[in-house]
Amino acid sequence: MMHSDSQPGSKYSVETASGPIGQRVATLQREAGKYKGAKLPEAVTCLQEAAKLMRQHPSNYPLDRWLRLPVVLQKAGLFDEAIEEFHRLLDEVEERVKNEAPRQRPAIRQKFAHLNYFQIYEKMSLVCKRKKLLEPAARYILLADQHYQAFLGMTVESYYHRSTRERHATSDI
């Protein structure tokens, strides 16, 4: 099980940070957590390098690690760059979920895609609120809620239950 603690300076799991590239990503994420206040540009640099490496590395990284960069960009006064990074993450959701769960049925992958969209839009709303942009914040939280409701509304039957019901239905004929 992966550890997804996003607290600054937290330990990152061995499963996520394997190999030299993964170790470098973990180091950059930890370093970024050490920078506060006036040193936010250094945190941005670390997280930008980490994001570049994560996009090249085949490991699965929890979404909260991806979301650190746009949140720190906003905190560093780079709101437009933060929104741009959020949109990049939105564009990558389907592919990322497909790569993280290649053997899952499309319905299950779509359920996880909705969860990813929810988390991204929720953070977008947060950074807009911090910037006192209430209209976009409301729009993003509405999108977050729509994806969360879609996530909750998607029932994905297990193979066991489906096959059991099919056996009972065919035995009644």
Side-chain angles (χ1 to χ4, degrees):
M1 185 169 134
M2 284 194 252
H3 177 69
S4 63
D5 187 4
S6 64
Q7 295 299 314
S10 66
K11 304 282 185 213
Y12 291 95
S13 74
V14 174
E15 289 115 339
T16 301
S18 60
I21 294 174
Q23 293 297 326
R24 178 71 180 142
V25 168
T27 299
L28 289 165
Q29 291 269 338
R30 277 192 303 273
E31 282 297 311
K34 294 177 183 177
Y35 297 117
K36 305 277 188 233
K39 293 194 172 194
L40 280 176
E42 288 89 341
V44 167
T45 301
C46 287
L47 293 173
Q48 286 173 327
E49 185 179 341
K52 182 178 176 184
L53 290 171
M54 288 190 307
R55 286 185 170 95
Q56 297 169 355
H57 193 262
S59 291
N60 299 327
Y61 294 94
L63 188 57
D64 64 332
R65 306 239 179 106
W66 292 97
L67 291 170
R68 287 186 74 199
L69 175 58
V71 169
V72 171
L73 283 166
Q74 180 271 319
K75 287 180 179 178
L78 302 168
F79 178 79
D80 292 337
E81 291 86 344
I83 294 297
E84 188 177 306
E85 183 63 22
F86 279 126
H87 282 287
R88 185 174 183 184
L89 292 174
L90 288 168
D91 291 343
E92 295 169 346
V93 164
E94 300 289 334
E95 189 66 25
R96 189 170 39 257
V97 169
K98 188 172 114 182
N99 290 333
E100 290 174 359
R103 293 187 178 116
Q104 294 295 332
R105 290 182 294 138
I108 292 172
R109 286 197 305 262
Q110 190 59 44
K111 187 171 176 86
F112 286 114
H114 281 299
L115 186 59
N116 275 239
Y117 288 124
F118 158 71
Q119 291 172 305
I120 295 168
Y121 282 124
E122 188 176 51
K123 288 291 185 186
M124 291 175 83
S125 177
L126 174 69
V127 301
C128 287
K129 284 180 189 173
R130 287 179 180 163
K131 186 83 171 155
K132 308 247 187 283
L133 298 171
L134 301 182
E135 189 275 322
R139 189 172 62 243
Y140 291 135
I141 204 66
L142 177 63
L143 288 167
D145 187 55
Q146 289 170 351
H147 282 285
Y148 189 67
Q149 292 304 317
F151 168 77
L152 292 176
M154 292 183 75
T155 57
V156 181
E157 295 179 17
S158 73
Y159 175 77
Y160 172 78
H161 292 301
R162 192 175 65 241
S163 63
T164 303
R165 194 171 60 232
E166 288 170 1
R167 278 196 304 259
H168 289 297
T170 56
S171 66
D172 293 338
I173 297 177

